[in-house]
Amino acid sequence: MSIIEVKNNTQLRMQKSLETLKVDLSKVRTGRAHTGILDHVMVDYYGAPTNITQVANVTLIDARTIGVQPWEKKMISAIEKAIRDADLGLNPSTQGEMIRVPTPALTEERRKEMVKLVKTEGEDAKIAIRNIRRDANESLKKLVKDKECSEDDERRASDEIQKLTDKFVADVDKSLADKEKEVLTV
């Protein structure tokens, strides 16, 4: 492995950590309804756990209501049960062949809990990025030990990896600030 490969691999892994954080943050509920809330809900579909988006059409009815239209009529009760059991604080109700999922307004206390959750997610992402930096630095030290690069090259590459780490940590902080603002907006 060369220095360039180490740097490219490091950047790729850090980018994946940032993307994972953004996906995790999209699941944190704000005051508005959005279909992403139900993305990880699994429905019992003929004995196999299946993602809700594979058994129903999930849409927004209005700013506070999600509509779930099952493709098979007999799946209505299973989908309703799965949404209730997903521990999202949602209470679906069936109206004909449509399941309406109203998202209740968040209380101030619940908003603060959501902010704590967002900060925890962000800290986990920062830890992952720092672990990637550590792995990259260990790879660079191994290159020096195996005499595949000089110590000066290793030092320069370590500085570049540190700058990369700082950039991704700043991106994490920006994502967290945006999400906190979104959660606290009434």
Side-chain angles (χ1 to χ4, degrees), residues 28-56:
V28 174
R29 197 162 70 83
T30 60
R32 296 182 308 274
H34 65 90
T35 58
I37 294 171
L38 300 178
D39 279 352
H40 69 284
V41 174
M42 301 302 270
V43 178
D44 183 37
Y45 186 65
Y46 296 108
T50 308
N51 194 303
I52 194 168
T53 57
Q54 295 179 352
V55 296

Side-chain angles (χ1 to χ4, degrees), residues 1 3-21 125 128-129 131-133 135-136 160-161 164-165 167-168 171:
M1 189 180 261
I3 290 177
I4 293 171
E5 289 171 335
V6 169
K7 286 193 274 188
N8 290 342
N9 183 27
T10 301
Q11 183 169 4
L12 190 67
R13 290 176 60 202
M14 287 182 180
Q15 185 64 43
K16 284 182 182 174
S17 292
L18 185 62
E19 289 168 8
T20 300
L21 171 70
I129 288 171
N131 287 341
I132 294 166
R133 176 191 59 193
D135 294 346
E160 289 177 32
I161 287 173
L164 202 60
T165 302
K167 174 190 169 297
F168 278 101
D171 290 347

